[in-house]
Amino acid sequence: MCGIVGYTGVHEASPVLVAGLRRLEYRGYDSAGVAIVSEGRVVVRKRAGRVRTLEEALDQEPAAGSCGISHTRWATHGPANDRNAHPHMGGRAGAGAVAVVHNGVIENHATLRAELTADGFTFLSQTDTEVIAHLIARELGDGDGLFQAVQRALPQLEGTYGLAVISARCPGQVIGARLGSPLVIGLGEGEHFLASDALAIAPHTAKVAYLQDGEVVRLGPDDFEIRHRERGSITPRIDRIDWKPDAVELGGHAHYMLKEIHEQPETVHDACRGRLRHAEATAHFGGLNMTPRQLRRVRRVVFAACGTSWHAALVGEYLIERLAHLPVEVEYASEFRYRNAPLDDRTLVFVLSQSGETADTLGALRESKRQGHPTLAIVNTVGSTIAREATGGIFLHCGPEVGVASTKAFTAQVAVLTLLAIHLGRLRHLSFTDGLAAIEAIESIPRALGDVLAKSEPAIRAAAERIAPAKSVLYLGRDLHFPVALEGALKLKEISYIHAEGYPTAEMKHGPIALVDRETPCVFVAPRGVLHAKTLSNVEEVRARHGTIIAVGTEGDESLESISDIFLPIPDVPEIVQPLLAVVPLQLLAYQVALLRGCDIDKPRNLAKSVTVE
Ligand code: AGP
């Protein structure tokens, strides 16, 4: 899941490409490169490391020209080094006729590599991508333009791609093609842009068109054309991106993750904006594309998602079963898409995705639709593939999320799932009173989140100092808080590289309690609730074995505070909305631990923000 940017127009391409890569660096950051058509030839600059390393190389050896492509990489084939960095050149005996950048996986690259080698092409890298460059160069050899050569080369590829191509033989032209990996074009005055994500284009134009699978685009400074491999010439839908300019700025915070944690009072409010119906004590969604009658017929809900979105779906399971008394299953999308799970016509399938581009979640969506099921999506990124292909859905409205470790999207997902549970419940047996109480509960959250963010720093720091030297940490929660414990563990793993596991608290006695010692801190997610007394006993069991106890609990809960080494209080709110608060100290804890360990918080090793390969 790399980041691609292309440009052709009136300005110098290099600064536009590098600025775009900076905005897409969350997609992959182990190496970066540019290729620019310059004085009749293609000039390539590429380096292992961050975009800033590439920028330094360009400062030393600038590449002039107003047409180019660029790439920031998340390695799939071949380690991160200068040779495997993109762009890759294609042509016999290094003729360098074509430069290619690619996001995706070419599954038949080994066969093509052998065939092209036999045909006199020399491979310089270990990547799957280089075969694309040589294939296009071979097709270009047959005369006519780059656009046609790319269209002839693509059917020979098996796998997924979002790619961009230039050649000195077709100056001013950038060719893009999409099959499985996202690509969007930006329409400017005398200039056109291509990118994996509209974030890279936003500073230049609000007019975009999202490429569909099977489409190839030719961009010139003043025109563009799109062709589909079966449907021929395409007139695209032009969308507008309406991000606030500072949406992807750090806004004075040290890291995007911290900025996004602090945005949550506003983003939870935005996720609920215009969706609360006090008069009917319910929630309303404008984009489900299902009538109340169709929703009443639903007898089962299936959620499919990955990572943090999967944890949010798990909170949704508890809430929908509690408020709507509907059976819910939460599936790992990567498993669900290949398992032959029986789905009858009274089953409602939802996929959840912040980015809207996660390959496994997209695969689950397509598999469910292929079986003829209306498949809805809870998604953040407007214009993303999942948002466009779902039969209906709910947007999170929490703005672009840049930090690789998802935070504000999780609370926005849980807020939306709480509203969905109220909506489905009120279509069944949830009383007016209980519905209204639930609505008032979620309305209290933005202020309560502000309190958590304002108050918890000293205790979080103390807890972080306890956890930073640990090799392993256990996160424990009961009921709605079990998924929150899983999410806390994931955050710590992702950005501090400490091994951590989340468990249902009562499950400890069945094995994990063997891990308890002075070196293995236990983080309990234990706000007051119906099962509180049981949780207190479980805390005592760990204390009896000299475990370090860090507890997230309801402020004023002395029974828990008195038996904890460190107490992380949250305001006293109704149980059904506690997950929205209880996760925040865990987000801040992971952040502080990673800070103490000197980790790269916004770009943790081996990860990328949207996982567009399987
Ligand atoms: C979470 O912090 C991670 N970035 C990752 O687990 C993420 O949640 C997962 O890849 C799913 O992403 P999505 O919501 O964009 O589909």
Side-chain angles (χ1 to χ4, degrees), residues 258-486:
L258 189 64
K259 174 195 176 216
E260 288 154 6
I261 290 173
H262 282 270
E263 282 179 0
Q264 293 179 107
E266 197 194 326
T267 50
V268 166
H269 182 259
D270 292 347
C272 299
R273 185 202 308 272
R275 291 172 169 165
L276 304 179
R277 295 278 182 280
H278 293 77
E280 303 121 72
T282 189
H284 170 78
F285 300 102
L288 288 180
N289 294 339
M290 292 183 78
T291 64
R293 196 178 123 69
Q294 288 170 316
L295 288 170
R296 271 196 202 91
R297 280 191 79 252
V298 169
R299 287 287 169 274
R300 174 171 166 243
V301 175
V302 169
F303 289 126
C306 304
T308 286
S309 296
W310 188 85
H311 294 151
L314 210 51
V315 177
E317 173 178 18
Y318 283 84
L319 289 168
I320 291 172
E321 289 182 349
R322 187 184 286 213
L323 299 183
H325 207 46
L326 265 176
V328 177
E329 280 138 50
V330 179
E331 303 280 355
Y332 282 114
S334 54
E335 293 297 313
F336 176 75
R337 63 182 297 191
Y338 294 119
R339 244 187 45 231
N340 190 16
L343 300 174
D344 64 20
D345 66 356
R346 317 276 304 254
T347 299
L348 181 57
V349 179
F350 269 97
V351 298
L352 285 86
S353 177
Q354 185 287 124
S355 62
E357 300 294 353
T358 302
D360 284 319
T361 309
L362 179 58
L365 167 75
R366 290 177 173 164
E367 177 58 20
S368 170
K369 283 180 66 184
R370 198 188 57 70
Q371 293 187 25
H373 276 284
T375 307
L376 308 182
I378 296 176
V379 66
N380 189 35
T381 310
V382 178
S384 62
T385 312
I386 287 177
R388 282 181 283 112
E389 294 194 11
T391 49
I394 307 170
F395 282 119
L396 299 183
H397 299 309
C398 67
E401 187 176 64
V402 178
V404 169
S406 182
T407 53
K408 65 176 181 176
F410 176 77
T411 47
Q413 285 164 332
V414 171
V416 156
L417 287 162
T418 309
L419 298 187
L420 181 65
I422 297 169
H423 183 70
L424 293 171
R426 290 288 291 140
L427 287 172
R428 288 165 176 75
H429 322 292
L430 187 66
S431 71
F432 183 97
T433 320
D434 292 345
L436 196 57
I439 287 196
E440 284 161 0
I442 198 156
E443 275 181 316
S444 73
I445 290 300
R447 175 196 297 276
L449 277 168
D451 294 351
V452 175
L453 291 165
K455 290 193 195 135
S456 38
E457 188 137 353
I460 298 275
R461 279 183 189 285
E465 268 140 31
R466 283 290 187 100
I467 286 184
K471 295 235 173 338
S472 182
V473 180
L474 291 169
Y475 285 74
L476 306 160
R478 271 181 184 272
D479 195 65
L480 282 161
H481 299 301
F482 164 47
V484 177
L486 289 172

Side-chain angles (χ1 to χ4, degrees), residues 87-273:
H88 290 287
M89 299 302 289
R92 281 194 177 80
V98 164
V100 169
V101 293
H102 168 228
N103 171 25
V105 171
I106 303 302
E107 286 157 9
N108 63 338
H109 70 98
T111 321
L112 291 171
R113 181 182 276 253
E115 184 214 308
L116 287 158
T117 306
D119 197 4
F121 289 87
T122 310
F123 281 78
L124 304 176
S125 80
Q126 298 148 297
T127 67
D128 55 330
T129 300
E130 197 177 348
V131 294
I132 308 174
H134 291 311
L135 273 181
I136 296 170
R138 184 164 67 179
E139 295 299 335
L140 195 56
D142 302 350
D144 68 30
L146 187 59
F147 194 32
Q148 292 71 19
V150 171
Q151 290 176 72
R152 283 199 301 276
L154 294 178
Q156 302 167 55
L157 301 174
E158 287 162 26
T160 60
Y161 53 78
L163 54 86
V165 189
I166 57 167
S167 168
R169 284 169 54 174
C170 308
Q173 293 200 5
V174 173
I175 309 299
R178 178 210 155 121
L179 190 69
S181 302
L183 268 186
V184 55
I185 59 178
L187 317 178
E189 300 303 320
E191 55 187 4
H192 285 103
F193 307 82
L194 185 69
S196 303
D197 186 316
L199 267 179
I201 293 173
H204 308 286
T205 176
K207 280 171 65 179
V208 297
Y210 293 91
L211 280 191
Q212 313 286 333
D213 277 349
E215 291 182 354
V216 188
V217 62
R218 179 190 61 73
L219 296 176
D222 303 306
D223 69 339
F224 71 94
E225 63 179 301
I226 301 177
R227 294 191 63 77
H228 185 276
R229 60 185 175 181
E230 279 119 34
R231 297 197 297 274
S233 176
I234 299 285
T235 308
R237 189 183 79 189
I238 308 299
D239 289 306
R240 288 194 70 78
I241 39 178
D242 59 0
W243 281 316
K244 300 193 243 26
D246 66 353
V248 283
E249 304 310 327
L250 273 168
H253 290 277
H255 298 95
Y256 284 106
M257 183 182 179
L258 189 64
K259 174 195 176 216
E260 288 154 6
I261 290 173
H262 282 270
E263 282 179 0
Q264 293 179 107
E266 197 194 326
T267 50
V268 166
H269 182 259
D270 292 347
C272 299
R273 185 202 308 272

